[in-house]
Amino acid sequence: MAPKLLPPKQLQNLRFFITRSLHTSSSSSPSLSSSSISTAAAVSPLNLAEKPEPAFQKPLTAIQDHAKPSSILDFHDHQKLFSNLPTTKLLHASLNLYLASISPMVDFGMWVMNSRLMETDNILRAAMIKTVRHTFFEHFCAGEDVVEAGRCIKKVNESGLRGMLVFAVEYTGDNDACDQNLKGFLDTVQSAMSLPPSSVSSVVVKITAICPLSLLERVSDLLRWQQRYPSFNLPWKQNSFPLFSDSSPLYHTLKKPEPLTPQEEHDLQLGQERLWKLCEKSVQANIPLTVDAEKTAIQPAIDYLTYSAAIKYNKDDNPIVYGTIQAYLKDAKERLLLATKAADKMRVPMGFKVVRGAYMSSESKLASALGYDSPIHNSIQETHACYNDCASFMLEKIANSSDAVILATHNVESGRLAATKALDLGIRKGNPKLEFAQLYGMSDALSFGLSNAGFLVSKYMPYGPVEKVIPYLLRRAEENRGLLSTSSIDKELMRKELKRRLKAAIF
């Protein structure tokens, strides 16, 4: 399949990402060493022929660089980093990070949880659920219900961090289940309202939890077909931002889909109304609602519903509805540019969460099975470069407009570059339009480093019954394979702090 060339106008717009990258700014920053600049700029965003150099292969080198007095993020003082964590919590975290780094153990656990053994009540299933509950669940999740999650949020807030509260359900098949899930999300917002002010930075929803998966697949097919053939009429489609760029993958839909049936149109309206009810509750609570990204097969429908809701509810320079951009996708920068440009034209303040992505294996397998190139960048360096460019673009937007961003990253270098860029642009520390975020149970050193530097930092905190949270835990187990370099930073710093506390207790 021949590669598509971007039209001249779009190429001109995309030059913004080159001239305004995280690695350059309106004024030079004294905290950026020449070596770190050259490392960060190793990947040129639009030079497709360039072979990227290994820019982010040694996280420990990044830590050593941060230990310099001029660095914004200080990872040298592990006592200060973990001063708000009790020793039992440090021990528990160290153990779980160690277990997550043992590939055979993770492989076996994923095989068992994906197998039919988990579909029926038996001794093995009960034993596995119990094991998961007391290891990975307790480490990565905030509890089994909204009350436990609230207590966990308070503890996190006491340590100087905030929480993104996530009712961790997804992939529903019928309207009854969607209605039940909506109640859970509304209860989540209600619970957030009762917690200490600003302790909850946002509530997170997956559209697959409030709209049937099969319907989202159908809607995405129709939206992709309209992208191929603009004259293709979708009578149910409401106002939205652009969902695709010229380089977006369309291979999921290889033949003309049938129109939605009257029942499907009714079900789509029900799904949209569920999202609107959740938006209205979030507006009442003045707590942002972040819509998670999911697989590319259904992402067009997710973005459509998200952008339609943002147009309806993001008012008065206060973005309530946030979309999510997955930077490991090759079209991420272009879609972010097109969506924000359309939002600006409509005078809609927009918020985005920028992530790298969590469906790498399944995305590549699907594309390969259909005979197409993967929609994911060819190297981790290209993904890093795309993430940093998207982050830089949104930081520029914050400095000059009412937009907002959640920079969700476990990459130390990306965190340092974004923090440096934010200060260089004059974005004050504690600005509510800028939030850094990491998963609960991961990258605590980065979280506390950013928080100690004065930035708002949240933990992504899912909760729910163990059985319902298993899909989330499976993704975390698989994602950990690519995050062992970051986890090793946490493990090393935790080990040093535990050793220090042990010596202090003995002597």
Side-chain angles (χ1 to χ4, degrees), residues 234-506:
L234 300 177
W236 44 265
K237 187 178 179 183
Q238 299 182 8
N239 205 6
S240 180
F241 305 145
L243 307 174
F244 305 94
S245 73
D246 288 346
S247 64
S248 293
L250 303 176
Y251 55 75
H252 307 80
T253 310
L254 299 177
K255 63 179 182 178
K256 183 178 180 180
E258 293 294 324
L260 293 183
T261 65
Q263 183 61 50
E264 286 175 325
E265 286 197 32
H266 175 69
D267 289 346
L268 179 59
Q269 182 63 33
L270 289 178
Q272 193 165 46
E273 288 174 359
R274 292 186 194 101
L275 179 58
W276 289 352
K277 288 179 182 178
L278 189 53
C279 290
E280 288 166 3
K281 187 73 173 180
S282 298
V283 170
Q284 177 189 347
N286 196 28
I287 296 175
L289 177 68
T290 301
V291 180
D292 262 346
E294 302 189 52
K295 297 179 181 180
T296 56
I298 55 174
Q299 193 60 41
I302 292 171
D303 285 342
Y304 163 69
L305 292 170
T306 302
Y307 295 158
S308 297
I311 292 170
K312 185 178 178 68
Y313 291 100
N314 289 5
K315 306 290 184 182
D316 303 322
D317 296 336
N318 183 29
I320 287 290
V321 181
Y322 283 57
T324 298
I325 292 291
Q326 300 180 99
Y328 71 174
L329 295 174
K330 294 173 181 176
D331 68 342
K333 287 190 296 187
E334 300 164 41
R335 288 191 295 107
L336 177 61
L337 176 67
L338 292 169
T340 54
K341 186 176 180 180
D344 288 346
K345 188 174 182 179
M346 298 173 65
R347 297 183 178 179
V348 176
M350 192 63 203
F352 280 100
K353 180 176 66 160
V354 182
V355 302
R356 278 171 170 77
Y359 301 91
M360 182 179 296
S361 178
S362 60
E363 294 288 6
S364 297
K365 286 179 180 178
L366 176 61
S368 178
L370 294 174
Y372 287 83
D373 291 338
S374 172
I376 294 172
H377 288 295
N378 296 328
S379 70
I380 186 63
Q381 288 81 19
E382 291 175 0
T383 295
H384 287 326
C386 181
Y387 182 93
N388 292 338
D389 287 344
C390 291
S392 176
F393 175 73
M394 288 306 300
L395 289 171
E396 292 274 0
K397 296 287 290 180
I398 292 173
N400 298 291
S401 71
S402 57
D403 290 350
V405 69
I406 300 168
L407 296 179
T409 182
H410 299 106
N411 185 280
V412 173
E413 185 70 359
S414 289
R416 185 183 69 82
L417 288 169
T420 301
K421 177 82 172 182
L423 295 183
D424 189 58
L425 289 170
I427 300 173
R428 63 179 177 81
K429 294 179 180 180
N431 187 323
K433 297 299 176 66
L434 169 60
E435 187 95 19
F436 288 91
Q438 290 77 42
L439 295 173
Y440 182 66
M442 293 188 65
S443 299
D444 286 344
L446 179 57
S447 298
F448 289 119
L450 287 162
S451 178
N452 290 341
F455 294 98
L456 295 177
V457 183
S458 284
K459 285 295 193 179
Y460 183 98
M461 304 179 68
Y463 78 90
V466 177
E467 294 85 349
K468 288 189 176 182
V469 181
I470 280 178
Y472 172 83
L473 293 173
L474 287 172
R475 285 199 303 279
R476 294 292 74 77
E478 183 171 359
E479 187 179 3
N480 253 318
R481 302 173 189 276
L483 290 171
L484 290 180
S485 60
T486 302
S487 298
S488 67
I489 298 172
D490 274 353
K491 286 188 290 185
E492 178 182 342
L493 291 172
M494 287 178 180
R495 185 166 59 247
K496 287 182 177 180
E497 175 58 13
L498 286 169
K499 185 177 180 180
R500 185 199 67 79
R501 293 185 186 187
L502 178 61
K503 285 184 177 179
I506 294 176

Side-chain angles (χ1 to χ4, degrees), residues 106-117:
V106 174
D107 288 338
F108 176 72
M110 290 177 66
W111 176 81
V112 171
M113 288 200 289
N114 275 316
S115 71
R116 292 184 178 180
L117 295 173

Side-chain angles (χ1 to χ4, degrees), residues 169-170 185 204-210 292-294 359 460 475:
V169 291
E170 54 189 273
F185 285 114
V204 182
V205 62
K206 275 186 163 52
I207 296 297
T208 52
I210 58 174
D292 262 346
E294 302 189 52
Y359 301 91
Y460 183 98
R475 285 199 303 279

Side-chain angles (χ1 to χ4, degrees), residues 41-44 46-55 378-379 381-382:
V43 182
S44 175
L46 290 180
N47 187 353
L48 301 181
E50 181 179 359
K51 296 292 184 181
E53 298 175 9
N378 296 328
S379 70
Q381 288 81 19
E382 291 175 0

